[in-house]
Amino acid sequence: MSCLETIQSYAMRSLGIGERLLPRSDFTLCEQFTLIGSGMIWNIYFGLMALCVGFFFATALAVAKSTTNPWVRKPAKWFIFLFRGSPLFIQFFFAYFLFLNLKGAFQFFSPFTAAWLGALIVLFLNTAAYSAEIFYGALQSIPKGEIEAADAYGLSGWHKFRRIIWPTMLRLAWPSYTNEAIFLFHATTLVFFSGFPAWQQRGDALYYASYFADKTFNPFVPYPILALYFIILTLIIISLSGLVNRRLNSHLPTNMRIQFKFRLNIIR
Amino acid sequence: MFSYCIEPDALATFQWLTCYLTTGVHFSFYLSFLNVLGILAVTAPIALSFGFFGAIAARSQIVPLSLLGKGYIAVVRGVPDIAFFLFFVIALDQGFEWLRHQALCPNWTDPIRQGNDFLVCPRAKLPLGTAPQTVHQLYAYGLAIITFALVFGAFAANVIFGAMLAVPKAQLETAEAYGMSQHQIFWRILVPQMWIYALPGLSNLWQILIKATPLLFLLGIEDVVYWARELGGTKTARFTSFPHGDWRMWYFLALLIFYLFMTWSSEKFLKKIMQKLTKGQDMAGTAMSTTRDFS
């Protein structure tokens, strides 16, 4: 099989499109690149969806955590602690078995035991908690002067939040939030190792990488390929978020802008 | 364990539970919690020393050494850590076997990689095929600990490297003015002062290390996750005197609470230490935080 044919039959394998059987022996470099790349579709799906939905929930949580009303503040605090204080790996396991039990009781929950929905919900709640903590930190460090100026202009309530507080919060939080995004994508590799089954061998990049490593007993090819894909993904995220960062900081002189710094931030 | 446990079917719920939770396998489950703590206690100092030497290498004057240190830090950060865990366990195992193969069987002519197999001579196998089960287990633990230490060492190196840069320059210049050698400045001025700057990052790292321990399961260790899956699964009356349905959810809930307690208590403890150590010091800009992002 030429490399082009391999790409044709395996590029969408992780979605169940194309060749049904995975290669079994005499693995070529092309097959490994194609299948692991095909698995990246799942990583990007999980990461992107969780980030997009999680962003709004995180904003709400951060605002809730910084209110004075204890009935709002405490639940937000506990939620954030629950998801930040425990390992994501255990959260996946717990959620999977929880959904499995619920599925037994209610038919409604049957899609939740599949990775595309069940794992996505866990990732969404998890990233919401981590991002909320970032946003909360940013809310605490909004310059007093900006809020006072908003008051002086007669802005209040939703208007003040939408026009003054929220943009400043985003601006301050953005470098950390970029980190969160990067590591959320890294965390998506845990999904298929934590209970959620890879139905018909439709898995993510790490699933295929470990498939090749198990079959060939040679970790030195598939894992570096996976690493390469993830480094490319990380660079794309950094450059995209750089554009957003420029927009958020566009009113500031260049020496006052907050630069992105790649920080450690691993396993959740 | 209790005398009334001989006939579990006849017991009331509470007594049944006391019997169920004190079976032999459950004690293995409880022991695995101690196992986690033990691995944490062993891994943390090893990772810290890896980090220390990584940071020394990264700030070395010798270019290849500094590149090695910086490369070590950079590579581990860019790639999902779980990939590293899966990679290092096989890679280390094969590396050790290959080294032993070179040393013990110099006359072996067959290639080591034959198709999909990795074959070394029988004497170089690690652990030896004839070794007892405990040796196999210890070897698995050893590999897991080295893997953890390698990955977390890189993170610690990053933190310590930053902390070394954070020590006020004036301190080092004063030491120079007093005629100390570079060696003396490093050990007597820089290292003692660096720790306070490294502490927020390191305590952050400790929290992450705690939360990484369930990944031991992926390295083939019979840890808490393994036992929770084993014990929670459906048991029929044919194989056990304590039949029950699928209870894995409850076992993982217990794990969740265990980890929440671990992170909560260490957060409290580290905060105390930090308060004590920074008493009377001007630490502006290095605020203590156990969050991963504002550290």
Side-chain angles (χ1 to χ4, degrees):
Chain A
M1 212 163 24
S2 78
C3 191
L4 203 67
E5 287 170 40
T6 306
I7 291 176
Q8 273 170 350
S9 40
Y10 285 122
M12 292 283 149
R13 177 61 181 79
S14 61
L15 302 178
I17 301 167
E19 192 72 35
R20 176 97 196 264
L21 286 176
L22 293 186
R24 302 242 157 164
S25 55
D26 304 325
F27 305 96
T28 60
L29 210 56
C30 179
E31 281 170 342
Q32 308 204 17
F33 261 104
T34 314
L35 261 177
I36 295 174
S38 159
M40 287 299 288
I41 298 174
W42 278 112
N43 296 101
I44 293 170
Y45 161 79
F46 282 130
L48 218 57
M49 295 292 281
L51 273 181
C52 289
V53 190
F55 175 81
F56 295 101
F57 189 36
T59 312
L61 274 174
V63 173
K65 193 181 171 180
S66 50
T67 51
T68 45
N69 184 348
W71 292 98
V72 180
R73 196 182 70 233
K74 292 274 177 190
K77 234 174 127 173
W78 289 332
F79 177 88
I80 293 174
F81 172 68
L82 175 69
F83 279 94
R84 292 183 73 244
S86 59
L88 179 66
F89 197 51
I90 302 285
Q91 290 166 22
F92 274 135
F93 270 117
F94 174 67
Y96 177 66
F97 294 123
L98 174 74
F99 290 142
L100 214 55
N101 279 9
L102 286 173
K103 184 181 167 184
F106 309 97
Q107 195 53 48
F108 170 74
F109 282 101
S110 57
F112 286 72
T113 51
W116 71 268
L117 184 58
L120 181 62
I121 289 176
V122 178
L123 280 169
F124 151 65
L125 295 174
N126 190 281
T127 187
Y130 276 100
S131 316
E133 189 66 22
I134 297 172
F135 291 159
Y136 171 74
L139 278 178
Q140 298 311 94
S141 43
I142 290 180
K144 272 242 166 55
E146 296 201 15
I147 298 173
E148 281 164 6
D151 288 335
Y153 273 101
L155 292 175
S156 66
W158 171 249
H159 232 71
K160 185 165 96 176
F161 179 76
R162 174 68 190 82
R163 298 268 168 206
I164 309 294
I165 295 177
W166 193 62
T168 312
M169 177 196 90
L170 271 188
R171 179 174 68 82
L172 295 175
W174 199 256
S176 302
Y177 189 65
T178 309
N179 255 309
E180 164 60 21
I182 292 169
F183 286 98
L184 178 73
F185 276 99
H186 286 189
T188 57
T189 51
L190 276 173
V191 170
F192 290 103
F193 286 84
S194 60
F196 287 100
W199 187 58
Q200 287 182 347
Q201 295 184 312
R202 299 176 190 176
D204 75 328
L206 187 64
Y207 176 84
Y208 290 122
S210 82
Y211 171 84
F212 286 121
D214 284 349
K215 288 274 185 261
T216 59
F217 211 58
N218 178 7
F220 298 98
V221 178
Y223 289 122
I225 294 176
L226 176 85
L228 182 73
Y229 276 121
F230 266 95
I231 288 169
I232 294 172
L233 182 64
T234 305
L235 292 178
I236 294 173
I237 296 170
I238 290 177
S239 56
L240 283 182
S241 108
L243 293 179
V244 177
N245 199 35
R246 210 160 61 195
R247 163 114 179 88
L248 288 170
N249 284 289
S250 55
H251 60 292
L252 291 174
T254 33
N255 60 354
M256 281 180 65
R257 292 183 181 180
I258 311 171
Q259 290 300 319
F260 169 74
K261 236 176 98 189
F262 198 85
R263 277 170 192 273
L264 88 130
N265 179 328
I266 40 168
I267 308 156
R268 337 157 134 249
Chain B
M1 180 161 179
F2 303 107
S3 54
Y4 54 80
C5 289
I6 299 159
E7 202 68 48
D9 295 338
L11 293 173
T13 318
F14 176 72
Q15 283 183 319
W16 189 89
L17 268 180
T18 58
C19 290
Y20 173 70
L21 291 176
T22 50
T23 53
V25 273
H26 271 88
F27 277 106
S28 312
F29 179 50
Y30 304 142
L31 264 182
S32 67
F33 281 96
L34 289 182
N35 241 337
V36 168
L37 297 180
I39 285 183
L40 275 175
V42 176
T43 312
I46 300 178
L48 196 59
S49 52
F50 274 32
F52 191 68
F53 290 110
I56 293 180
R59 68 192 298 285
S60 152
Q61 308 279 332
I62 308 158
V63 175
L65 199 62
S66 121
L67 280 182
L68 190 75
K70 282 182 179 150
Y72 172 48
I73 296 173
V75 166
V76 176
R77 282 198 311 185
V79 179
D81 25 32
I82 169 183
F84 266 99
F85 290 138
L86 295 179
F87 170 78
F88 268 129
V89 169
I90 313 181
L92 282 174
D93 185 35
Q94 291 186 353
F96 289 146
E97 286 195 342
W98 182 80
L99 283 178
R100 277 170 62 92
H101 179 85
Q102 298 295 326
L104 293 175
C105 314
N107 302 324
W108 194 269
T109 47
D110 292 345
I112 292 182
R113 281 199 192 284
Q114 296 179 11
N116 293 342
D117 281 320
F118 183 83
L119 288 174
V120 290
C121 64
R123 277 172 61 207
K125 275 260 186 308
L126 255 182
L128 289 170
T130 54
Q133 187 60 27
T134 44
V135 174
H136 281 268
Q137 270 173 1
L138 276 180
Y139 181 66
Y141 272 103
L143 278 185
I145 287 173
I146 298 175
T147 306
F148 261 63
L150 273 175
V151 173
F152 280 88
F155 289 95
N158 188 34
V159 170
I160 294 175
F161 183 71
M164 284 178 173
L165 292 179
V167 173
K169 271 260 152 54
Q171 294 277 346
L172 307 180
E173 282 162 6
T174 313
E176 239 164 63
Y178 272 96
M180 284 184 170
S181 68
Q182 283 305 317
H183 187 80
Q184 284 173 320
I185 294 173
F186 181 77
W187 287 106
R188 296 191 190 173
I189 309 294
L190 186 68
V191 172
Q193 292 194 51
M194 158 206 94
W195 292 111
I196 194 76
Y197 295 96
L199 201 62
L202 289 179
S203 53
N204 202 352
L205 208 58
W206 168 251
Q207 303 274 38
I208 299 171
L209 184 64
I210 292 177
K211 287 191 272 172
T213 48
L215 296 177
L216 283 171
F217 169 68
L218 296 177
L219 312 189
I221 303 275
E222 293 184 5
D223 74 331
V224 283
V225 178
Y226 171 85
W227 283 111
R229 276 162 54 111
E230 282 291 298
L231 295 174
T234 310
K235 300 273 188 301
T236 55
R238 265 177 66 192
F239 299 105
T240 165
S241 40
F242 300 96
H244 61 75
D246 187 353
W247 283 1
R248 284 177 291 189
M249 178 182 131
W250 303 109
Y251 279 91
F252 277 102
L253 185 63
L255 290 192
L256 209 66
I257 293 169
F258 167 71
Y259 277 107
L260 282 176
F261 174 74
M262 289 285 290
T263 44
W264 175 79
S265 54
S266 46
E267 191 175 328
K268 285 259 138 64
F269 178 70
L270 290 166
K271 215 174 205 163
K272 273 255 163 63
I273 291 190
M274 193 66 191
Q275 261 167 7
K276 209 166 198 169
L277 288 179
T278 53
K279 211 168 177 185
Q281 279 207 32
D282 176 23
M283 292 290 293
T286 53
M288 169 67 178
S289 123
T290 43
T291 67
R292 295 176 315 174
D293 306 294
F294 273 86
S295 61

